[in-house]
Amino acid sequence: MTTVETTGDEGMYLFNDLPLKELKSKYDFEPTERWADELRLSSVRFNSGGSGSFISSDGLVLTNHHVASDTLHKLSSADRNLIDDGFLATSLDEELQAPDLELNQLVSIEDVTSRVAEGIEKNASPAEAAQQRRAVIATIEQESLEKTGLRSDVVTLFGGATYHLYRYKKYTDVRLVWAPETAAAFFGGDADNFEYPRYCMDATIMRVYEDGKPAQLEHFLRWNEAGVDEGDLVFVSGNPGRTQRIFTVAALKYLRDHRMPYVLDYLRRKEILMQQFGLDGVEATRRARDELFGIQNGRKAYTGMLAGLQDPNTIATKQRREDQLIAAIKADPELAGTESVFAEIAEIQTEKAKKLGESVTFRSRLYDLALTTVLRAAEDAKPNEQRLREFTDSGRESLVQDLLSEAPVYADLERVKLADELSRFVETRGGDDALVAKVLAGKSPRQRAAELVDGTELFDVAARKRYLDGDYAAVQSSADPIIQLALLLEDEYRQLRTHSEELDERERQAYAKLTQAVSKLQGNSGYPDATFTLRLAYGQVKTYTEDGEEIQPATDFAGAFEHESSHLGQTDFDLPESWNRHKDALDLSTQLNFVCTADIIGGNSGSPVVNRQGELVGLIFDGNIQSLTSDYLYTDQQARAVSVSGVGILHALRKIYGADALADSIGK
Amino acid sequence: MTTVETTGDEGMYLFNDLPLKELKSKYDFEPTERWADELRLSSVRFNSGGSGSFISSDGLVLTNHHVASDTLHKLSSADRNLIDDGFLATSLDEELQAPDLELNQLVSIEDVTSRVAEGIEKNASPAEAAQQRRAVIATIEQESLEKTGLRSDVVTLFGGATYHLYRYKKYTDVRLVWAPETAAAFFGGDADNFEYPRYCMDATIMRVYEDGKPAQLEHFLRWNEAGVDEGDLVFVSGNPGRTQRIFTVAALKYLRDHRMPYVLDYLRRKEILMQQFGLDGVEATRRARDELFGIQNGRKAYTGMLAGLQDPNTIATKQRREDQLIAAIKADPELAGTESVFAEIAEIQTEKAKKLGESVTFRSRLYDLALTTVLRAAEDAKPNEQRLREFTDSGRESLVQDLLSEAPVYADLERVKLADELSRFVETRGGDDALVAKVLAGKSPRQRAAELVDGTELFDVAARKRYLDGDYAAVQSSADPIIQLALLLEDEYRQLRTHSEELDERERQAYAKLTQAVSKLQGNSGYPDATFTLRLAYGQVKTYTEDGEEIQPATDFAGAFEHESSHLGQTDFDLPESWNRHKDALDLSTQLNFVCTADIIGGNSGSPVVNRQGELVGLIFDGNIQSLTSDYLYTDQQARAVSVSGVGILHALRKIYGADALADSIGK
């Protein structure tokens, strides 16, 4: 499996297990411990899903515009459209505080595999093992939090063969410093998304604060001022979300024939829903925009992933590798019986296919708040180590930040989303289902959603706080219709979740066994599948060929203006007014975007790209369409990671956005 | 059931069985035979799916812009965009011939129920009965065609309790005379579709030709020049496509829980696909536009229909009526055993749910051509009465017109559509299916689609003609990859179709039995469910209340300009330049759109609306959102049919489009 059989620049490596041999042999590069520590400590993770980096001693953070867009959206209103218009704070007091952002800096890594293993009884059933594992993990996290004061997460690696304790320094006071217009950040729109060549200023700068003042940072990235060249070795430090490279053929077929078509139907449904909502007018468009962008991005990514899986050659390649592995396992007497994990995993996929879409949650902010309110109250009555994962003490601060976020909740949007979720619930279970009848309470999905949204107090942060301070009895006696709905569904929710976690546990155990076998057969190097934790990838700035044409690795500002004029009259192909106004002041040959072969995936958005000296040269914001299969199969034939060039960001700040002072403070 | 238990102005009546009693008692109106004949003979059906009317002695035909848009699209090119820009022929020789339009005028109706019944043996199985019925119908149609030279269709009514022979005069030389810009025809776009108040000039004028000259028409509609008033009695003569009012509760639940969610997933998928295709540029947008419009229209209609079915009150109402009917059946000794049809129909729904989505056809023009080419050659080797319905002699002229249409087929659009259909095929059957493997031939859906589109000759009308002139052996020896694909799938296609037709036959028999029982219990008046044949509906121009607000029945040109200015900056809310240029010349108080309570459904688009005098007062183009449940349940509480006002059309022709001569010839 991919834990060793890597090709090209494949790999998302743990910072405590870097591919030193490969880097030395392929690129004659030996990272020092200091080099790696500086890069790790300059990297941050966004709780909203994405990566970033510290870029100055006074707390500046660089990430993508599309990672920040959740915050830009929450900070916007009918009168202040940060998404369309961009933003620049010209002094500290103009910086805008994000309502619920949390940034994590990875401070240390500790292997706790044996302690987790000791917490599980030898002959525990999968359900018992899951429960015991949860308990020991909660205890480890809680002890670490008490000891260090740091956010402490136990991370499952190699499909459950390894457990590491990650300690993070948290930043929860994060403020917006600069964002360009979406027309510049997402130039080319949905049409250009996952395409290359690109010309996007997909960057935003924030600042972390401590005690109300800009955080003083010891570790941050210096910037390279020259741009990249073909062949340059570069490194990406970020938090890839999830890969599935260890997946067996049966698991990939489940994705191909069940999960991905299901998710795509779901995404298309929500895309049309958000589009329709936006037809109501300019303000409605603004309210739906952030969610619509995320949905479209997901839809395009999944379409590419499914296309790869539907190519018979993909499965054939994976099958060949799997056959070889099974043969090797069978030939090794010490691994006798291990091949049964393939059948076990296949069986789990069949069960998953049957359960697909079984859910009693409704995706809307109000219902999320209601369910979290109910579960929080119920879970808090239990000892810490018996609680559901997201309600243990170590995660409390993050939970509270989310529950009490002042981010606006739009009644009209909630009504439409909830009505659609109720309608989907009727579709999934059938209109005659007893629970459906209880949920609808004799009304149509639309009427019921209106009733729930009109009747709830959960728009009000004070009301949420009241529940948070109260116990389960207080929640139970609530007259709030959406709280009552969450209570009605609580039992069913818990049953479904327990069943699904049992399946996950069985799968985890099977993959752990498989990973151990692979390690025994092929040695213990390599990297685990991505888990939204910090990884290091490496690669080269490199051209590639598409439809017979050689694609140059870098684009420049001149190309952006040409791209605009060759797409006249098309939506999303107008550069913002600011770019056209300052065109004459620009050095049009300045690098804007570039590609490299580093192994990235969703979650890497906003990752810094650094050179051998550890200097920032770019900012990951996308992968091309050929890279979308990298979820389950890395290739560097055409697949490329796409970055905004660091020099491009500095140039835009100085020449387009009048942000000289900000540009001057970067890297210092 | 609805065959008699009508409410308000419910009903889509047969022209040979008009609701004379109701009209007399409710509106004191007694249509003369001449009144009805004139209206029937002035009404036309479009083979592209829609209705229209003759409006002058020299062949002018009025229909909706959205009914004509299929033709407008086919007559457009990168250099001539009739959809965006509209069209006006200032002389006969400027009129543009539609590539494949057929208009049908209903000349006579003959009851052939007993002859059809005689053609079926007493103890025939459903499969045999279907075959025998097909044979006798083909014979009746063929005899009638030979005798009269008229298009002759046997129509199934009352769910199979009645068969009528409809004879049509066909017009196949149809030319475009006038079309407004889409910005005027579909003002408000998808947002306003199925909404009211509306301000749309959804009208287009064509002309039928015979022997290369404008047809001289004996029957055509005169126009009323005053507009309508609240309370006016009006009539709609058109071809409602399909209603399902006789459906049992089990059948409605199948729609609610299976068919409609399935169709909506399909439509949303195609909507996103066409949107994505359009992102490629202005010309791509133009190419995809007609199809995208149809998909969006369908998606919005189905969403409304499903919403109605998901309202527990809808099913409860239907259940109550069904319970009463069952009680009445059980109480009548002569109907002993008839109640078993409810169980039979329920069983059929279960089977249908199982088979949902089982299909081996790929929706693309090229694959349609290939499959039709293959089936035509195979069917022509059989005697006429044994052929599949669309390949009998009586339908040959229409078939040939479609196969040899010169309408453009766009390779890029076909490639994308076919790739998506192949991908959907993999999803439906699973990637491991043997037939899927054969269809993909080792390639990804995208590669395979490219190979099929690049390799086929079917773009070329001469190539299609060659196959049409040849036999099955000639088709079999074809090297055309898409013909080969259709051949590969022919057996499976026939099996699935046979099975589905058997199910339909069982259902038809059950509903026929049910209808007979209802007729016995409640008398034989009423109207059959819609079948895309000519019907008369009636109703009043009538206000209604929505969210506490009284909606006025008519809008005017002033309202259109106000609607534009209150939606500044929103897509599809800009009136065309021509309207703004001629605004000063307009009498802004002229009626533009109006609503009435007449019972219509899809297929009625383009229907003339006439007054007691038989004068045209309007042109049906939509129903409001509350009318969407009328597929299975009529109500006139809020549901309304929406028309363009006849006086509005004349005013626009004269004051906006400089078409005085055309306006002068209308009604004469």
Side-chain angles (χ1 to χ4, degrees):
Chain A
M1 312 299 290
T2 53
T3 43
V4 285
E5 235 192 68
T6 57
T7 50
D9 297 327
E10 176 172 353
M12 303 166 170
Y13 295 90
L14 299 168
F15 266 83
N16 56 346
D17 188 14
L18 294 180
L20 302 177
K21 227 167 56 188
E22 287 86 347
L23 286 172
K24 173 70 183 155
S25 69
K26 278 196 248 178
Y27 294 108
D28 192 27
F29 179 72
E30 296 176 80
T32 62
E33 200 166 318
R34 210 199 123 162
W35 182 96
D37 287 349
E38 276 298 317
L39 183 53
R40 169 171 57 80
L41 293 165
S42 300
S43 302
V44 292
R45 183 174 72 173
F46 278 65
N47 67 335
S48 57
S51 301
S53 57
F54 292 134
I55 55 166
S56 79
S57 58
D58 57 354
L60 290 179
V61 179
L62 177 70
T63 188
N64 291 141
H65 182 273
H66 80 264
V67 170
S69 75
D70 172 60
T71 295
L72 295 173
H73 178 67
K74 287 172 177 167
L75 289 172
S76 292
S77 65
D79 306 322
R80 181 171 73 179
N81 193 330
L82 301 179
I83 298 274
D84 280 2
D85 302 337
F87 178 78
L88 177 67
T90 55
S91 64
L92 287 179
D93 60 334
E94 283 181 15
E95 296 179 3
L96 301 173
Q97 189 169 20
D100 48 19
L101 212 47
E102 176 183 313
L103 267 50
N104 296 147
Q105 175 197 38
L106 178 56
V107 172
S108 73
I109 305 176
E110 186 184 328
D111 192 327
V112 292
T113 309
S114 55
R115 191 167 163 204
V116 171
E118 282 158 20
I120 299 163
E121 285 164 32
K122 265 274 173 271
N123 296 315
S125 70
E128 290 162 354
Q131 169 56 30
Q132 289 164 10
R133 176 171 301 111
R134 203 158 62 208
V136 65
I137 285 175
T139 306
I140 294 170
E141 291 176 346
Q142 179 58 13
E143 280 177 16
S144 169
L145 173 66
E146 277 167 16
K147 199 172 90 187
T148 64
L150 294 170
R151 171 170 178 157
S152 301
D153 297 350
V154 171
V155 177
T156 306
L157 300 167
F158 291 110
T162 303
Y163 293 86
H164 285 177
L165 172 61
Y166 279 44
R167 291 197 183 93
Y168 295 103
K169 180 164 168 63
K170 274 192 313 194
Y171 293 90
T172 53
D173 184 351
V174 188
R175 305 191 192 177
L176 179 65
V177 179
W178 166 75
E181 311 87 338
T182 294
F186 197 44
F187 179 50
D190 191 28
D192 270 10
N193 197 10
F194 299 112
E195 305 287 343
Y196 197 77
R198 286 288 280 286
Y199 313 88
C200 290
M201 184 51 59
D202 193 353
T204 288
I205 295 175
M206 299 184 166
R207 193 191 303 275
V208 288
Y209 279 66
E210 285 186 301
D211 304 324
K213 283 185 214 133
Q216 295 306 303
L217 302 176
E218 205 180 323
H219 308 282
F220 61 90
L221 297 175
R222 274 69 183 172
W223 282 38
N224 172 282
E225 301 249 354
V228 294
D229 287 314
E230 163 96 35
D232 280 2
L233 173 65
V234 292
F235 301 87
V236 178
S237 171
N239 302 275
R242 190 163 184 225
T243 53
Q244 309 173 316
R245 294 190 189 161
I246 202 183
F247 273 26
T248 66
V249 169
L252 292 180
K253 286 181 176 177
Y254 163 70
L255 292 181
R256 179 192 65 187
D257 294 339
H258 301 283
R259 173 133 195 98
M260 286 195 184
Y262 169 80
V263 171
L264 276 165
D265 272 343
Y266 176 83
L267 290 172
R268 287 186 291 246
R269 175 187 189 117
K270 297 298 172 185
E271 183 167 356
I272 299 287
L273 188 76
M274 289 298 102
Q275 285 180 357
Q276 291 288 304
F277 181 82
L279 291 180
D280 231 36
V282 176
E283 171 61 6
T285 303
R286 187 192 70 74
R287 291 182 180 189
R289 195 254 165 213
D290 188 55
E291 192 153 346
L292 180 57
F293 167 77
I295 293 164
Q296 288 180 323
N297 192 54
R299 186 252 310 142
K300 202 158 176 180
Y302 270 88
T303 303
M305 284 156 66
L306 179 58
L309 286 174
Q310 285 188 340
D311 184 339
N313 300 308
T314 305
I315 296 292
T317 302
K318 282 279 189 180
Q319 187 69 60
R320 214 162 36 237
R321 294 191 192 172
E322 188 162 305
D323 291 346
Q324 286 164 6
L325 179 62
I326 292 173
I329 287 173
K330 285 185 174 166
D332 187 333
E334 283 181 42
L335 295 175
T338 302
E339 69 274 16
S340 71
V341 297
F342 289 96
E344 163 78 356
I345 289 169
E347 205 177 282
I348 292 165
Q349 310 312 308
T350 308
E351 282 225 40
K352 280 200 208 168
K354 264 188 248 156
K355 301 281 170 189
L356 194 60
E358 261 196 1
S359 160
V360 289
T361 51
F362 307 117
R363 296 215 186 172
S364 84
R365 176 67 177 154
L366 290 173
Y367 189 77
D368 285 350
L369 287 169
L371 180 63
T372 305
T373 296
V374 167
L375 293 176
R376 197 283 314 157
E379 293 298 295
D380 272 4
K382 304 176 187 169
N384 184 44
E385 68 279 5
Q386 285 174 27
R387 292 183 206 152
L388 292 173
R389 185 141 179 65
E390 66 272 29
F391 298 102
T392 56
D393 292 341
S394 61
R396 186 51 46 110
E397 204 179 328
S398 310
L399 179 75
V400 170
Q401 190 190 31
D402 175 58
L403 271 178
L404 304 187
S405 167
E406 295 279 359
V409 183
Y410 299 109
D412 52 358
L413 189 55
E414 289 293 307
R415 215 174 285 126
V416 163
K417 284 164 68 173
L418 207 43
D420 186 64
E421 285 291 272
L422 290 170
S423 174
R424 210 166 66 88
F425 187 57
V426 182
E427 288 177 30
T428 309
R429 300 208 157 212
D432 287 348
D433 180 82
L435 196 58
V436 166
K438 279 189 206 162
V439 166
L440 290 184
K443 291 166 199 83
S444 73
R446 212 171 301 179
Q447 290 168 326
R448 180 69 169 133
E451 180 179 77
L452 292 168
V453 172
D454 294 348
T456 187
E457 279 190 306
L458 293 180
F459 289 97
D460 180 12
V461 174
R464 298 180 216 157
K465 177 95 172 54
R466 227 165 28 243
Y467 289 116
L468 187 59
D469 295 338
D471 60 7
Y472 191 66
V475 170
Q476 278 185 303
S477 66
S478 164
D480 194 308
I482 202 159
I483 295 268
Q484 283 301 324
L485 180 64
L487 282 166
L488 169 70
L489 294 170
E490 186 188 353
D491 276 355
E492 182 80 2
Y493 170 82
R494 288 183 181 275
Q495 277 174 37
L496 290 176
R497 180 163 172 174
T498 300
H499 181 82
S500 145
E501 286 180 351
E502 276 171 25
L503 266 188
D504 289 348
E505 176 62 24
R506 277 175 60 196
E507 198 171 22
R508 188 178 300 121
Q509 290 184 7
Y511 278 121
K513 210 165 162 187
L514 181 58
T515 306
Q516 281 151 8
V518 171
S519 299
K520 178 172 184 305
L521 288 169
Q522 308 177 330
N524 205 2
S525 73
Y527 66 97
D529 265 320
T531 50
F532 198 42
T533 51
L534 195 67
R535 303 294 179 88
L536 185 75
Y538 63 89
Q540 277 182 290
V541 176
K542 201 169 172 187
T543 183
Y544 64 102
T545 305
E546 187 177 69
D547 300 332
E549 196 190 343
E550 186 168 320
I551 310 291
Q552 291 309 309
T555 65
D556 59 20
F557 283 73
F561 288 99
E562 284 156 25
H563 202 56
E564 179 185 42
S565 55
S566 66
H567 291 78
L568 277 185
Q570 274 182 256
T571 314
D572 298 328
F573 283 91
D574 294 324
L575 285 166
E577 185 270 335
S578 64
W579 282 52
N580 282 292
R581 182 155 39 93
H582 295 106
K583 186 174 176 184
D584 290 345
L586 293 171
D587 173 356
L588 291 173
S589 69
T590 309
Q591 236 168 49
L592 183 48
N593 291 172
F594 68 85
V595 290
C596 70
T597 60
D599 190 1
I600 64 153
I601 199 93
N604 267 118
S605 283
S607 299
V609 185
V610 303
N611 60 15
R612 288 171 187 251
Q613 287 73 46
E615 297 165 340
L616 186 141
V617 293
L619 168 66
I620 292 287
F621 75 96
D622 205 4
N624 64 3
I625 202 114
Q626 293 89 345
S627 77
L628 287 174
T629 54
S630 69
D631 203 40
Y632 41 84
L633 195 64
Y634 172 87
T635 144
D636 60 4
Q637 216 190 332
Q638 296 184 303
R640 294 291 181 274
V642 188
S643 299
V644 190
S645 197
V647 293
I649 297 170
L650 291 176
H651 197 60
L653 284 174
R654 291 202 166 100
K655 302 299 179 185
I656 297 175
Y657 295 100
D660 281 303
L662 175 61
D664 290 346
S665 69
I666 284 174
K668 281 166 205 143
Chain B
M1 313 298 291
T2 53
T3 43
V4 285
E5 236 193 69
T6 58
T7 51
D9 296 326
E10 175 172 354
M12 303 166 170
Y13 295 89
L14 299 169
F15 264 83
N16 57 346
D17 188 17
L18 294 179
L20 303 176
K21 228 167 55 187
E22 287 87 346
L23 286 172
K24 174 68 183 158
S25 70
K26 278 195 249 176
Y27 294 110
D28 192 25
F29 179 70
E30 296 178 80
T32 63
E33 201 167 314
R34 209 196 125 165
W35 183 95
D37 287 348
E38 275 298 316
L39 183 53
R40 169 171 56 81
L41 292 165
S42 300
S43 302
V44 291
R45 184 174 71 173
F46 278 64
N47 68 334
S48 57
S51 302
S53 57
F54 291 135
I55 56 165
S56 80
S57 58
D58 57 352
L60 290 179
V61 178
L62 177 70
T63 188
N64 290 141
H65 182 273
H66 81 265
V67 170
S69 75
D70 171 59
T71 294
L72 296 172
H73 179 66
K74 288 173 177 167
L75 288 172
S76 291
S77 65
D79 306 321
R80 181 172 74 180
N81 193 330
L82 301 179
I83 299 272
D84 280 3
D85 302 337
F87 179 76
L88 176 66
T90 55
S91 63
L92 287 179
D93 60 332
E94 283 182 15
E95 296 179 4
L96 300 174
Q97 189 170 20
D100 49 18
L101 211 47
E102 176 183 314
L103 267 51
N104 295 147
Q105 176 198 36
L106 178 57
V107 171
S108 73
I109 305 176
E110 187 185 328
D111 192 327
V112 293
T113 309
S114 55
R115 190 163 164 206
V116 171
E118 283 159 20
I120 299 162
E121 285 163 32
K122 266 272 174 272
N123 297 314
S125 70
E128 289 162 352
Q131 169 57 32
Q132 289 164 8
R133 177 172 300 111
R134 203 158 62 208
V136 65
I137 285 175
T139 305
I140 294 170
E141 290 175 347
Q142 180 58 13
E143 280 177 15
S144 168
L145 173 65
E146 277 166 18
K147 200 172 90 185
T148 63
L150 295 168
R151 171 169 178 157
S152 301
D153 297 352
V154 172
V155 176
T156 305
L157 300 166
F158 291 110
T162 303
Y163 292 86
H164 285 178
L165 171 62
Y166 278 44
R167 291 199 182 93
Y168 295 104
K169 181 165 168 58
K170 275 192 312 195
Y171 292 90
T172 53
D173 184 352
V174 188
R175 305 191 190 176
L176 180 64
V177 179
W178 167 74
E181 311 86 339
T182 294
F186 197 46
F187 179 50
D190 191 28
D192 270 10
N193 197 10
F194 299 111
E195 304 287 342
Y196 197 78
R198 285 289 278 287
Y199 312 88
C200 290
M201 185 50 60
D202 192 351
T204 288
I205 295 175
M206 298 184 168
R207 192 192 303 275
V208 288
Y209 279 66
E210 286 187 299
D211 304 324
K213 283 181 215 136
Q216 294 308 303
L217 302 175
E218 207 180 325
H219 309 282
F220 60 92
L221 298 175
R222 273 73 184 170
W223 282 38
N224 172 283
E225 301 250 353
V228 294
D229 286 315
E230 163 96 33
D232 280 0
L233 172 66
V234 292
F235 301 87
V236 178
S237 172
N239 302 274
R242 188 160 187 229
T243 53
Q244 309 173 316
R245 294 188 188 162
I246 203 184
F247 273 25
T248 66
V249 169
L252 292 179
K253 286 180 174 177
Y254 163 71
L255 291 180
R256 179 192 66 189
D257 294 339
H258 301 282
R259 173 134 194 97
M260 285 195 185
Y262 170 80
V263 171
L264 277 165
D265 273 343
Y266 175 83
L267 289 172
R268 287 186 290 247
R269 173 186 191 120
K270 297 300 171 182
E271 184 167 355
I272 299 287
L273 188 75
M274 289 297 103
Q275 286 179 356
Q276 290 289 302
F277 181 82
L279 291 181
D280 232 35
V282 176
E283 171 60 6
T285 303
R286 189 192 67 74
R287 291 182 180 189
R289 195 254 164 212
D290 188 55
E291 192 153 346
L292 179 58
F293 167 77
I295 293 163
Q296 288 181 322
N297 192 55
R299 186 255 308 143
K300 202 158 176 181
Y302 270 88
T303 304
M305 283 155 67
L306 179 58
L309 285 173
Q310 286 187 339
D311 184 338
N313 300 309
T314 305
I315 296 291
T317 303
K318 281 280 191 179
Q319 186 70 60
R320 213 159 39 236
R321 292 192 195 173
E322 189 163 304
D323 291 346
Q324 286 165 5
L325 179 62
I326 292 173
I329 287 173
K330 284 186 175 164
D332 186 334
E334 282 181 41
L335 295 175
T338 302
E339 69 273 17
S340 70
V341 298
F342 289 96
E344 163 77 356
I345 289 169
E347 207 177 277
I348 292 165
Q349 311 312 309
T350 309
E351 282 226 40
K352 281 200 207 168
K354 265 189 246 154
K355 300 282 169 187
L356 195 60
E358 262 197 1
S359 159
V360 289
T361 51
F362 306 118
R363 296 215 186 172
S364 84
R365 175 68 176 154
L366 290 173
Y367 189 78
D368 285 351
L369 287 169
L371 181 63
T372 306
T373 295
V374 167
L375 293 176
R376 198 282 315 158
E379 293 298 296
D380 273 2
K382 302 174 186 170
N384 183 45
E385 68 277 7
Q386 285 174 28
R387 293 183 206 152
L388 292 172
R389 186 144 178 65
E390 66 272 31
F391 297 103
T392 56
D393 292 340
S394 60
R396 185 51 45 111
E397 206 179 329
S398 311
L399 179 75
V400 170
Q401 191 190 32
D402 175 57
L403 271 177
L404 304 187
S405 168
E406 294 279 359
V409 182
Y410 299 108
D412 51 358
L413 189 56
E414 289 293 306
R415 215 174 283 126
V416 163
K417 284 164 69 174
L418 208 42
D420 186 63
E421 284 291 272
L422 290 170
S423 173
R424 209 165 67 89
F425 187 59
V426 182
E427 288 177 30
T428 309
R429 299 207 158 213
D432 287 348
D433 179 82
L435 195 58
V436 165
K438 280 189 204 161
V439 166
L440 291 184
K443 293 165 197 85
S444 73
R446 214 171 300 179
Q447 290 167 327
R448 180 68 170 134
E451 180 179 74
L452 292 169
V453 173
D454 294 348
T456 187
E457 280 190 303
L458 293 180
F459 289 99
D460 181 11
V461 174
R464 296 180 217 158
K465 177 91 171 57
R466 231 171 18 248
Y467 288 116
L468 188 60
D469 295 339
D471 60 6
Y472 192 64
V475 171
Q476 278 185 305
S477 65
S478 165
D480 193 308
I482 202 160
I483 295 270
Q484 284 300 324
L485 181 64
L487 282 167
L488 168 70
L489 294 170
E490 187 189 352
D491 277 356
E492 182 81 1
Y493 170 82
R494 287 181 181 276
Q495 277 173 37
L496 291 175
R497 180 162 170 173
T498 301
H499 182 82
S500 144
E501 287 181 349
E502 277 171 25
L503 267 188
D504 289 349
E505 176 61 25
R506 277 174 60 195
E507 199 170 22
R508 191 178 299 123
Q509 291 185 7
Y511 278 121
K513 209 164 161 185
L514 182 58
T515 307
Q516 281 151 9
V518 171
S519 299
K520 178 171 183 307
L521 287 168
Q522 307 176 332
N524 204 3
S525 72
Y527 67 96
D529 264 320
T531 50
F532 198 42
T533 51
L534 194 67
R535 302 295 179 88
L536 185 76
Y538 64 89
Q540 277 182 290
V541 176
K542 201 169 171 185
T543 183
Y544 63 102
T545 306
E546 187 177 70
D547 299 334
E549 195 190 342
E550 185 169 319
I551 310 292
Q552 291 309 307
T555 65
D556 58 20
F557 283 74
F561 287 99
E562 284 156 24
H563 202 57
E564 180 185 41
S565 56
S566 66
H567 291 79
L568 277 185
Q570 275 182 256
T571 314
D572 298 328
F573 283 91
D574 294 323
L575 284 166
E577 184 269 337
S578 63
W579 282 53
N580 283 291
R581 182 154 39 93
H582 294 107
K583 186 174 175 185
D584 290 345
L586 293 172
D587 173 355
L588 291 172
S589 69
T590 309
Q591 235 169 49
L592 183 48
N593 291 172
F594 68 85
V595 289
C596 69
T597 59
D599 189 1
I600 63 153
I601 198 95
N604 267 119
S605 283
S607 299
V609 185
V610 302
N611 60 16
R612 289 173 186 250
Q613 287 72 47
E615 297 166 338
L616 187 141
V617 293
L619 168 66
I620 292 288
F621 76 96
D622 205 3
N624 65 1
I625 203 113
Q626 293 90 345
S627 77
L628 288 173
T629 53
S630 70
D631 203 39
Y632 40 84
L633 196 64
Y634 173 88
T635 144
D636 59 4
Q637 214 188 337
Q638 295 184 304
R640 292 292 181 274
V642 189
S643 300
V644 190
S645 196
V647 295
I649 297 171
L650 290 175
H651 197 61
L653 284 174
R654 292 203 166 99
K655 302 299 180 186
I656 297 175
Y657 294 101
D660 280 302
L662 176 60
D664 290 344
S665 69
I666 284 174
K668 281 164 205 144

